[in-house]
């Protein structure tokens, strides 16, 4: 069940065009969000290396976009998307060298561990074909108007 499609996601985050790597949000609440990416497979994915492969660490960016969507949904913010910056990534485990090895869509789960209007810390997991491809924690800082 799609709660939010790609067009809706694009209104919430500053990532546009090929850089928006999420296709749909399937569930969210105050603490977590689950979404799907099929877009990661596209040849024009700007995160692809020169050899065409999509390294597993690219999953951090995909998860960060899911965190940004969650942040906007939780705060109910109207207006243009707010810039966010990855301040810290910890306890990252890459189970595969490339996301291209994922079977089918990838599922992105993010869980907010703590946060406020200036930033948040999330646990994330990117899975494909029932296997965890990448997981870890990330702290995101949001650009706050003076």
């Amino acid at each position: 069940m799609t709660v939010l499609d790609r067009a809706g996601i694009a209104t919430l985050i500053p990532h546009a065009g090929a850089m928006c790597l999420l296709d749909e949000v399937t569930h969210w609440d105050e603490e977590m969000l689950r979404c799907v990416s099929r877009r990661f497979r596209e040849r024009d994915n700007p995160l692809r290396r020169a050899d065409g492969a999509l390294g597993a660490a690219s999953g951090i960016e995909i998860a960060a976009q899911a965190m940004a969507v969650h942040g906007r949904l939780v705060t109910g913010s109207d207006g243009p998307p707010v810039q966010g910056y990855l301040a810290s990534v910890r306890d990252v485990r890459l189970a595969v060298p490339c996301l291209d090895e994922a079977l089918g869509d990838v599922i992105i789960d993010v869980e907010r561990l703590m946060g406020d209007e200036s930033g948040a810390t999330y646990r994330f997991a990117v899975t494909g074909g029932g296997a965890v491809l990448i997981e870890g924690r990330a702290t995101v800082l949001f650009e706050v108007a003076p």
Side-chain angles (χ1 to χ4, degrees):
M1 175 174 161
T2 300
V3 174
L4 193 61
D5 64 11
R6 184 173 170 77
I9 291 167
T11 67
L12 298 176
I13 61 176
H15 306 82
M19 194 56 202
C20 180
L21 301 173
L22 305 175
D23 290 292
E24 61 187 90
V25 173
T26 59
H27 175 78
W28 75 276
D29 59 31
E30 291 292 317
E31 282 80 38
M32 63 81 60
L33 177 134
R34 172 172 277 182
C35 56
V36 176
S37 177
R38 290 177 286 282
R39 177 82 188 83
F40 80 98
R41 289 194 179 286
E42 298 298 323
R43 298 302 311 127
D44 69 341
N45 183 326
L47 301 179
R48 288 198 177 277
R49 299 187 308 227
D51 67 0
L54 184 64
S58 298
I60 296 169
E61 172 61 28
I62 297 170
Q65 290 185 23
M67 294 171 212
V69 170
H70 184 257
R72 285 295 298 267
L73 290 171
V74 168
T75 62
S77 300
D78 290 332
V82 175
Q83 292 289 333
Y85 304 94
L86 276 176
S88 171
V89 180
R90 297 177 180 262
D91 302 325
V92 173
R93 187 178 71 81
L94 306 174
V96 294
C98 292
L99 289 183
D100 298 321
E101 297 177 21
L103 301 174
D105 301 346
V106 294
I107 307 299
I108 303 94
D109 288 303
V110 297
E111 176 188 9
R112 187 177 60 181
L113 303 174
M114 66 178 96
D116 58 24
E117 63 278 346
S118 65
T121 298
Y122 283 88
R123 178 178 304 126
F124 66 89
V126 178
T127 60
V132 175
L133 306 173
I134 179 173
E135 62 186 344
R137 288 184 301 134
T139 298
V140 181
L141 298 179
F142 306 120
E143 189 174 270
V144 178

